[in-house]
Structure formats: structure tokens, C-alpha cells
Amino acid sequence: MKNCEYQQIDPQALPTPTPPPHHGGDGDRREEPRRPRRKWEVFPGKNRFCCDGRVVMARQSGVLPLTLGLILVTSGLFFIFDCPFLVKHLTRCIPVIGGGLFVFVVITLLQTSFTDPGILPRATPDEAADIEKQIDNTGNTSYRPPPRTKEVLINQQVVKLKYCFTCKMFRPPRTSHCSLCDNCVERFDHHCPWVGNCVGKRNYRFFYTFIVSLSFLTAFIFGCVTTHLALSACSCSASQGLKVGKAWCLLCRRVQADILFIKNMLKNSWALGNPVLELVICFFSVWSILGLSGFHTYLVASNLTTNEDIKGSWSGKSGEDVTNPYSHRNIFINCCSVLCGPMPPSLIDRRGFLPADESSQTAGADIELPTVATKSEINVCTQGTKGLLESATRSPLLSTSCPQGKPQTAHTCPDSSPAMNSDPSPELSTSCGARHIASSQGDTSPPRHTKTRSKKSKRAALHIPNPAFDVPVSPTSPDTGPSSKARDHKSASFASLH
Amino acid sequence: MRQQAAIAAKVFIQRDYTNGTVCQFQTKFPSELETRMDKQQFEETVRTLNNLYAEAEKLGSQSYIEGCLACLTAYTIFLCMETHYEKVLKKIAKYIQEQNDKIYAPRGLLLTDPIERGLRVVSFPALSVVDGKYCLCIERSLRWNVPQAQM
């Protein structure tokens, strides 16, 4: 009928589950699996799964332990040293509010880290073949790779969909491929090392709630600690009659006058040393976290992702009249749709069981095309798929899943080409991941000077989005200004990669 | 003697992005199915699926209430409660099952629920119309008798 003929499959040539070989042996893993395997065990991306597939994280946990540690330590010091004092001198609500905020922060952090961000499963061989068939409808069986972009019209705005060589599909709008996780993620915002996961469609609301509540928590602790110090200074100065309100008003003068006094107290009293540590951590955190919250509030209100904002997709930089086609043109509706919209389901069926005949294969990663019986016509689709693989082997890496990044990041897998991924990928991605882990452990260990300084620089610079071309996130980056100016840094780093 | 051969073919239907990132499929009738089924029925199926997905992703008062409540409880209610989206997905599964029983299976076609393959193309060795979130795939399988080569 047309150029694509369907392959006649000889049932005898079809791959059937092989009966156990009679020469007895050792390899009975494939013939009789001890237990049915779940799909997460053969997932081709670089993710880590826990609790039998219920928890999804990036393979490198990044600095998530540090994030948790800082939050726990700071809050712990607050509850131990500041709360008793403030309960006595102020009100009992302080630990209640602090406790509520702390619980909120930890829960949203864990949800951001452990939720599937919106990973798109890779295309099956049939789908990949069909895509190529659609692109190459002339029946030409050349082995060139399919074109990399496809234009669609979204709300009267032309949007280019890019082809992902790793996942073998045209990425849906707003989807980007994360090089660290080696997955296409829907509504990709950025890969956040602080939470150890990508931030995408499904966990953006958790992430936003996390940073907003963390802003409140750090500001709250900062305020409480300052009050504690001020009240302590006031009371130590034997100004017994001062009320709290006046203490605040006098704080500035008091702090100036009592700097030396406080220094002496630090030397003499251990109990006041801890609040100062909290003060320092909170001071630097407040600025960076508040800046980040403000930035993401702007993104939410405009229905943008960090990725799109950094690339300037809808800002009309190229001179064309472009507008964001996804925006609802109303700040309130934008906020509601992003934060309160329906929760989409996870598209990767992590806990499903593999079919028995696929238990030895990777899901969607390898292509097992049956050999054609004699006299049957070769399927253009089949040949096209094979051609796709071969051409992908030969094609340059540049626009594919593995980014070139800053050399010191070493988060890239320089020779993990998409073609390699098209072969049984778990082994290769495992090895690639191992290489990542090995190299990244050298990198991500914050050789940290002071926690605060590193924290500030990291906070400012680490929320670097992955542009669609899989640019890696650099965990080690030079100091930048307050986090809202992280955009400049991000632009610079992005520019340097082009 | 005749040699029997099975043919498995898949027809993929792409997503329709003209209205944004909501899950919609193109209702264009694929030419490969012209001999297999009625165009109207196909378009009816796809339109109904589009409506169901639109309902799942609708921004209405119900989703807002659910979202706000979830936010106030630090999203822990997602662990206990079935979301609106999941409820509609069940409806979609039921609808697809009905369509298969009534329309597609008698014609040797099978429509597969997209969620089974991550809302992407779903393929099936028997006839399947795979309804992927990013592709609708219709797969058909035919058996016919092929004369032996030697004869």
C-alpha cells in the first residue's frame, strides 16, 4: 500500500521463552527466575530506587545529606538553646510555630527528593521505528538520523520539539533531558543537587513549598535568635524593666554598644555560643533562600520553568514576537495551575512486574526484532530502526544526552553515546553511573571552608537548570552574589557552554 | 500445506499539542486503518478519550480544593487519598475496555491503555490500539495463510 509494509512475522521465528537447557547448569537465572522482577530493577535511567520502587532519587544524592544536616542541626540548636529562654521571656507559641515549620520543611524536602519528577519512559522500539517512518516517508532507506526538531503550533505560538537520541522520541513541549539522571523529564525545571533529584512537573509544587517554608523557618529562627541575644544582652546589662518591644527598638544601639560585651560572653558562656552559630547560618541562608523563593514565585506567577527563563525562550530575545504559550495570562490562575493543579500520575511503572519473557531484557531499551522469514518483505520500519541505531552510533555526541560541561564537574559521561544507550543500556548506564559516582564523589564533597560561605555560593549557583541540550549542573561554582543574581551566573555558565 | 504467518502491525497516533501540554490526541484517521474500521467510530473513541483526559487535567474548583488541602497537610494526603486524576484514569481504563470489547476486538484491533506503558505508545502483539499519552498506537495482527515457498 504505502512505503511502509508491515513485517510478516513467522511465528517460528518469534522469540519465545526458551525452555531450560538440558545440559544442566549454573545459569538458571534466566530460565527460572527466583522471583518476578519489578520494572524499576531494569529502569534504563540513572536513578536510584528504594523501598522496592516506591522512592525515586537521582543516582547521586548530591548534597541532600548536607541539606538535611543543616536543617536538623540549626533547628536542633534552636529548640535546645533558644526555645527555653524565649518561652520564659516571651510566649509559648515560639516552639509550636518553629516545630510546625520544621516539620513542614522536612516533609516537603523528602517529598521533593523522593518523588518521581515526571520522568518519561523511553520509547519502545516500535514507537521509535514509527517515528522514523513518519519522518522519512519517502521510503528512503538511508541510515541518516532523523531530523532533530519538529515544529508544532501551541496556542498560536510556534514551538520546536527536539528529538532525544537517548529516549528515541520527540520531546513533548517543556520536556528536557537531564544528563545527570539520563531521563527526559516533563516540565523540566532544573536538577537540584540540594534535594538530590530533578525538579519537574510532579514535584515542583513540593519544591516550591519546601523553599518557601524554609524561608519562613530560617527567617523565624533568625528572628528568634536575634531576640534571644538582644534580650540576653539587655538582661545582662541589668536593664530589667525593658519590655520586649523596647528591646527591639534598642537593639541596634544595644548591639553596637555591647559588641565587646557579647564577645566576652561568648568566651565565658557556652550557652550563648550556639545561638551565634545559628545566627550566622540563618543570616546567610535567609538571603539566598529568600532570593530563590522570590525567583520561583516569579516563575510560578508567569508559568515559566527555570529552564525556559534561563534560555529566554519566551522573552523575545531573538527579536521575534514570542509569548509564553502556556501562560494563562492571569497571575492567580497561573499560580493555581502550577501549585494547586491536578497531580499527574507517575508515567514510569516502577513497581509493575516485568513480563516473564522480558525479565532478562531491559524494558524498552533493546530492540529484538524477529528475523524475517524468507520471501517476506523487509520492513522499512525495521530497517529504519536498525539504521537509526547505527547512525546514532556514528553521529556526534553533541546534541545528545551526555553533555559537555565544565571539566571540573565531571558529571558528564563523555563516551556514553546514545548508541551505547540503545544497546542493553543498564550495563552501560551502570558503568557510566559508576564513573559518575566515582568522579563525582571527588567533586561534590564540599571541601568546605565555612559551611555558610559554601552554602551561600551553592545556593546561589546550584539551581542551574539543564538546558534542553543536556548541559550539566555544576555543583562547584564560584561565589556569586545573592541568589537572585544567580541568573546572571546561570546565563554565564550557559553561554560558556555554547 | 500452508504456512501460516502472523503479522503484527502498529499504528501510532501522535499527541496534539495545539492547546498546550494537556493530553490530547490527534483525531486524524490513520490511513492504515481504512480497511479495518469505520472512521467515525475511531474519531469518536479518540474524542472521548481526549475529553476524559481533559477532565482529569481540568483546572476547576475540585482540583484547587484538593491542591490547597494537600498543601496545608504538606502533601501527605497524597499518600492516603486517591487523587482526582487517578480516579479519571480508572474511568479511562474502563472506557477502553468497553471499546475493546464492543468495537475493536471484533475487528481484530486492540486499544491499549496508555498508562500501562507510561502513557506512551502501548504495543500489543494482538491487535492493539495502543493509546499512549504521547502516541496512540494501534497495532493489528493478522494471520493468513501463505503458500509454501517450494510450491
Side-chain angles (χ1 to χ4, degrees):
Chain A
M1 57 186 108
K2 13 273 65 127
N3 306 316
C4 183
E5 308 265 352
Y6 294 112
Q7 179 182 15
Q8 297 181 17
I9 298 174
D10 183 2
Q12 292 162 8
L14 277 172
T16 51
T18 57
H22 295 296
H23 50 279
D26 44 345
D28 45 8
R29 243 173 313 174
R30 291 200 172 187
E31 293 92 14
E32 293 174 61
R34 283 177 224 128
R35 55 170 182 84
R37 295 172 74 189
R38 293 197 191 256
K39 291 180 185 171
W40 66 264
E41 299 180 57
V42 296
F43 186 71
K46 292 188 195 129
N47 288 98
R48 195 190 307 180
F49 297 90
C50 303
C51 300
D52 200 19
R54 291 182 180 89
V55 166
V56 186
M57 295 188 293
R59 187 163 292 180
Q60 310 149 21
S61 59
V63 291
L64 172 65
L66 176 69
T67 311
L68 266 174
L70 279 170
I71 294 171
L72 290 172
V73 163
T74 311
S75 306
L77 291 175
F78 167 73
F79 286 120
I80 293 170
F81 294 103
D82 296 302
C83 280
F85 180 88
L86 291 169
V87 163
K88 200 167 71 171
H89 289 80
L90 279 183
T91 167
R92 284 189 189 187
C93 293
I94 302 244
V96 173
I97 298 171
L101 281 173
F102 170 72
V103 165
F104 214 82
V105 163
V106 171
I107 289 179
T108 47
L109 169 63
L110 295 178
Q111 284 185 327
T112 311
S113 301
F114 297 156
T115 304
D116 170 16
I119 296 171
L120 285 176
R122 299 190 182 182
T124 57
D126 301 310
E127 187 190 345
D130 182 75
I131 289 175
E132 190 185 350
K133 177 193 85 177
Q134 286 185 7
I135 292 166
D136 192 12
N137 263 336
T138 58
N140 183 7
T141 58
S142 66
Y143 292 166
R144 62 174 175 81
R148 293 183 44 232
T149 60
K150 175 166 97 168
E151 290 191 354
V152 295
L153 202 64
I154 300 179
N155 290 329
Q156 282 84 49
Q157 180 75 49
V158 173
V159 175
K160 276 194 184 154
L161 304 185
K162 296 188 174 77
Y163 185 82
C164 181
F165 282 96
T166 309
C167 304
K168 297 197 192 70
M169 60 178 178
F170 280 100
R171 289 189 204 119
R174 311 192 96 175
T175 301
S176 190
H177 191 96
C178 175
S179 54
L180 293 170
C181 303
D182 204 24
N183 295 310
C184 273
V185 176
E186 280 191 275
R187 203 183 182 278
F188 181 78
D189 194 84
H190 64 282
H191 183 100
C192 183
W194 289 98
V195 303
N197 201 1
C198 288
V199 176
K201 181 169 159 185
R202 294 189 74 244
N203 64 350
Y204 185 76
R205 65 191 71 194
F206 304 147
F207 175 75
Y208 182 77
T209 315
F210 164 63
I211 57 175
V212 167
S213 52
L214 188 62
S215 314
F216 282 119
L217 180 68
T218 49
F220 181 75
I221 292 180
F222 183 72
C224 289
V225 169
T226 311
T227 311
H228 182 187
L229 285 176
L231 289 179
S232 300
C234 290
S235 59
C236 287
S237 306
S239 311
Q240 299 289 338
L242 280 176
K243 295 199 191 260
V244 176
K246 283 191 186 174
W248 273 106
C249 297
L250 291 171
L251 177 62
C252 292
R253 286 192 292 170
R254 186 60 76 179
V255 168
Q256 280 173 0
D258 292 339
I259 290 280
L260 190 60
F261 178 71
I262 290 173
K263 276 186 186 168
N264 288 333
M265 289 183 74
L266 285 179
K267 285 179 202 160
N268 300 331
S269 163
W270 167 245
L272 273 178
N274 293 306
V276 173
L277 174 66
E278 295 168 61
L279 201 65
V280 167
I281 292 177
C282 287
F283 179 76
F284 289 106
S285 307
V286 160
W287 295 116
S288 48
I289 295 291
L290 268 179
L292 192 65
S293 302
F295 174 60
H296 277 277
T297 306
Y298 155 73
L299 291 181
V300 164
S302 345
N303 204 333
L304 281 173
T305 62
T306 307
N307 206 17
E308 288 165 353
D309 185 69
I310 293 301
K311 284 158 66 185
S313 309
W314 314 120
S315 64
K317 273 188 196 166
S318 51
E320 302 159 6
D321 185 21
V322 291
T323 54
N324 183 3
Y326 314 110
S327 170
H328 299 269
R329 310 275 181 261
N330 179 317
I331 290 178
F332 180 68
I333 297 180
N334 279 340
C335 292
C336 287
S337 73
V338 175
L339 301 175
C340 302
M343 183 69 179
S346 175
L347 299 182
I348 50 171
D349 181 22
R350 304 187 293 272
R351 289 178 46 77
F353 288 102
L354 286 171
D357 57 345
E358 280 186 29
S359 57
S360 57
Q361 302 173 13
T362 60
D366 74 36
I367 295 174
E368 187 143 351
L369 296 166
T371 56
V372 173
T374 58
K375 279 203 153 182
S376 57
E377 293 157 356
I378 301 292
N379 187 359
V380 171
C381 306
T382 312
Q383 212 179 34
T385 309
K386 288 180 180 165
L388 169 67
L389 295 175
E390 290 178 20
S391 59
T393 319
R394 292 196 284 265
S395 68
L397 302 175
L398 289 179
S399 58
T400 59
S401 61
C402 273
Q404 351 38 11
K406 298 182 182 174
Q408 69 269 25
T409 64
H411 273 267
T412 65
C413 186
D415 39 317
S416 161
S417 71
M420 293 168 80
N421 273 333
S422 66
D423 288 325
S425 55
E427 298 97 284
L428 288 163
S429 46
T430 310
S431 67
C432 194
R435 211 167 24 228
H436 279 210
I437 291 168
S439 58
S440 69
Q441 274 169 359
D443 269 341
T444 55
S445 58
R448 278 357 171 200
H449 350 182
T450 62
K451 278 194 279 187
T452 58
R453 186 155 274 266
S454 67
K455 197 170 178 229
K456 177 185 171 187
S457 66
K458 277 187 184 172
R459 285 258 166 85
L462 277 177
H463 286 276
I464 295 174
N466 258 341
F469 288 111
D470 330 304
V471 174
V473 173
S474 162
T476 60
S477 51
D479 263 328
T480 62
S483 61
S484 58
K485 317 322 143 211
R487 295 174 65 177
D488 299 332
H489 172 75
K490 291 170 199 170
S491 312
S493 70
F494 180 69
S496 72
L497 290 159
H498 284 251
Chain B
M1 260 187 3
R2 293 178 147 237
Q3 202 174 23
Q4 288 202 337
I7 290 190
K10 295 183 177 66
V11 175
F12 294 81
I13 296 156
Q14 299 293 332
R15 278 276 294 271
D16 178 15
Y17 293 117
T18 49
N19 292 326
T21 50
V22 288
C23 182
Q24 301 280 287
F25 290 95
Q26 293 175 1
T27 49
K28 180 168 156 287
F29 187 60
S31 50
E32 292 93 335
L33 293 181
E34 267 163 17
T35 54
R36 305 289 302 174
M37 66 174 300
D38 185 28
K39 179 178 173 178
Q40 300 285 24
Q41 275 174 330
F42 171 80
E43 285 179 0
E44 162 80 27
T45 306
V46 177
R47 246 184 244 122
T48 311
L49 284 174
N50 284 344
N51 290 337
L52 284 169
Y53 280 116
E55 185 197 327
E57 297 182 11
K58 193 175 73 162
L59 299 172
S61 54
Q62 186 182 2
S63 69
Y64 290 157
I65 290 171
E66 193 180 75
C68 290
L69 188 65
C71 181
L72 291 172
T73 60
Y75 301 105
T76 46
I77 61 165
F78 286 149
L79 301 169
C80 332
M81 203 180 83
E82 195 181 48
T83 63
H84 172 66
Y85 208 116
E86 284 165 356
K87 287 182 190 144
V88 178
L89 285 177
K90 285 192 176 160
K91 233 198 290 187
I92 290 172
K94 212 167 115 190
Y95 173 74
I96 289 175
Q97 181 70 39
E98 278 169 29
Q99 292 288 295
N100 277 335
D101 294 337
K102 279 194 280 193
I103 299 175
Y104 292 98
R107 291 172 175 73
L109 292 167
L110 178 63
L111 178 69
T112 313
D113 196 336
I115 198 70
E116 287 171 18
R117 286 293 195 105
L119 295 179
R120 294 191 50 89
V121 176
V122 182
S123 62
F124 213 84
L127 286 217
S128 45
V129 169
V130 174
D131 198 1
K133 188 163 190 185
Y134 295 100
C135 285
L136 255 181
C137 162
I138 298 180
E139 188 181 44
R140 68 167 194 249
S141 154
L142 307 169
R143 296 183 71 88
W144 64 63
N145 296 328
V146 174
Q148 246 184 353
Q150 286 80 355
M151 291 192 163

